[in-house]
Amino acid sequence: MADTKGPGPVVTLFTRPIRAPQGQGVTFVELFFDLVFVFAITELTKLAASDLTWSGAGRSVLVAWLIWWAWSQFTWALNPADTDHGIVRGGTLFAGALAFLMAISVGDALGDGGLWFAIPYVAVRVVGLGLYVLVAAEDKVQLAAVRLFGSISTLGLGAAVIGGAVHGNARTWWWLAVIGLDFLAAGLAGSQEGWGIHSAHFAERHGLFVIIALGESLVAAGIAAAGEERTSDLVFVAIGAVIVVSLLWWTYFGWLKDALERRLEAASDTPRALLARDAYSLLHFPLIVGVVGIAIGVEEMVAHPGDALEAQVLIALIVGVTLFVASAAAALWRADRTVLIARFAVLGLLAIGAAVQHPAEPKLLLSLTIAAIAAVVVAEALQHPHTELQAE
């Protein structure tokens, strides 16, 4: 009797098509990869909190961009891939290990450990580019676009290593050059045909990263509160911090995430790639930077619930909230030119109120922030902008 058994599960894991099946959702290996990057965001929060001057904040944003772009490029690479394929799984897990080495070096990225940060950063991006080329090999149009992006990005990777090897202002300039080359690569390659973005998967990856990053801000607050004496001030600030983060979650996941995804799905191939680049890869970056500012403010308030806030901490919190709420609104504007007036009006009032109240105790600032974000949530619920978008 002939052997009718097919190939074993291990063989199938590596011989199945490497391109994604239709309707593939986010898989566990991607979530595991994302967790490593959120750890990098945690370390970035510590780095930013150690120097809250304007120059220090600017340098922290440089590091934040490198972390974000490594994750973003990998997200593009995995979008058309079957992430249950053995090669893709193995490559993603290997890149996760490299990203972990990058993450534990974030704290010294601006000091003597520049190369310890830069080399694994470059390695993660190289693995991502390699996977992207492998997945795109069956589609000549997509492969041409990936090669164009990769050829320009390679220049940026060289600049990243040089920046890690030098010190002081020289590193800042080299890493600014990396950002410039990243923008050039995204600008030239993003307008090419053939990217074939799977909109549901792409939107879900970004949404999950946002929610994990928001959770990180609460983890920072929890760690700060764990060893403190339980007082009425601490209880108020701890609960208030959770309410602030919950309301921020609502401003993004309440309806805006779905609206963005619908716009992405409705776009044709090249416009979809451009929208994915602008609304997600670019405009979600300041949103994540906002989470870092929020985490700094929340952690400091929980650590010193009865003390007036320093100006730098107040600015970090207000700027963080503003970046989070406004960047999401900007992404929607890029998608369909919808202007969320209530958001910008309330954010302006929040900034004025915080300035007037300075120096403010955490309870007062939290109350003001909660009232402002809640006003945004209520105003947009009354206006039903998501219904208008669906009815188009």
Side-chain angles (χ1 to χ4, degrees), residues 262-263 336 338 382-392:
R262 286 194 297 273
R263 285 295 174 266
D336 64 5
T338 296
L382 291 175
Q383 293 171 3
H384 297 293
H386 53 298
T387 303
E388 294 170 7
L389 291 168
Q390 288 175 326
E392 185 175 287

Side-chain angles (χ1 to χ4, degrees), residues 108-115 118 159-175:
D108 204 29
L110 299 173
D112 294 335
L115 279 176
V161 174
I162 295 173
V166 298
H167 294 85
N169 290 333
R171 180 174 299 169
T172 299
W173 286 111
W174 276 106
W175 283 358

Side-chain angles (χ1 to χ4, degrees), residues 175-307:
W175 283 358
L176 279 171
V178 175
I179 295 177
L181 289 165
D182 288 340
F183 270 86
L184 181 63
L188 294 179
S191 60
Q192 302 297 304
E193 297 181 354
W195 287 104
I197 295 294
H198 297 177
S199 53
H201 178 270
F202 198 82
E204 186 179 5
R205 282 300 303 281
H206 285 78
L208 288 171
F209 195 88
V210 170
I211 200 169
I212 295 172
L214 279 174
E216 182 276 331
S217 67
L218 290 181
V219 170
I223 292 173
E228 298 294 325
E229 180 184 355
R230 301 299 183 265
T231 64
S232 59
D233 286 341
L234 177 62
V235 170
F236 184 98
V237 170
I239 294 175
V242 175
I243 294 173
V244 165
V245 173
S246 299
L247 288 169
L248 289 170
W249 176 93
W250 206 321
T251 65
Y252 184 87
F253 292 97
W255 64 273
L256 193 144
K257 173 192 171 294
D258 291 338
L260 278 176
E261 183 178 338
R262 286 194 297 273
R263 285 295 174 266
L264 192 63
E265 179 64 34
S268 56
D269 181 58
T270 302
R272 180 183 295 175
L274 292 172
L275 179 57
R277 179 197 67 188
D278 297 345
Y280 287 93
S281 297
L282 297 180
L283 286 173
H284 273 59
F285 171 65
L287 186 152
I288 297 300
V289 172
V291 173
V292 173
I294 293 163
I296 291 172
V298 166
E299 183 175 3
E300 185 65 21
M301 286 190 292
V302 170
H304 306 283
D307 299 337

Side-chain angles (χ1 to χ4, degrees), residues 243-251 294 321 325 346-347 350 366-379:
I243 294 173
V244 165
V245 173
S246 299
L247 288 169
L248 289 170
W249 176 93
W250 206 321
T251 65
I294 293 163
V321 170
V325 177
V346 170
L347 288 173
L350 174 61
L366 273 176
S367 300
L368 185 64
T369 305
I370 289 171
I373 307 174
V376 171
V377 171
V378 172

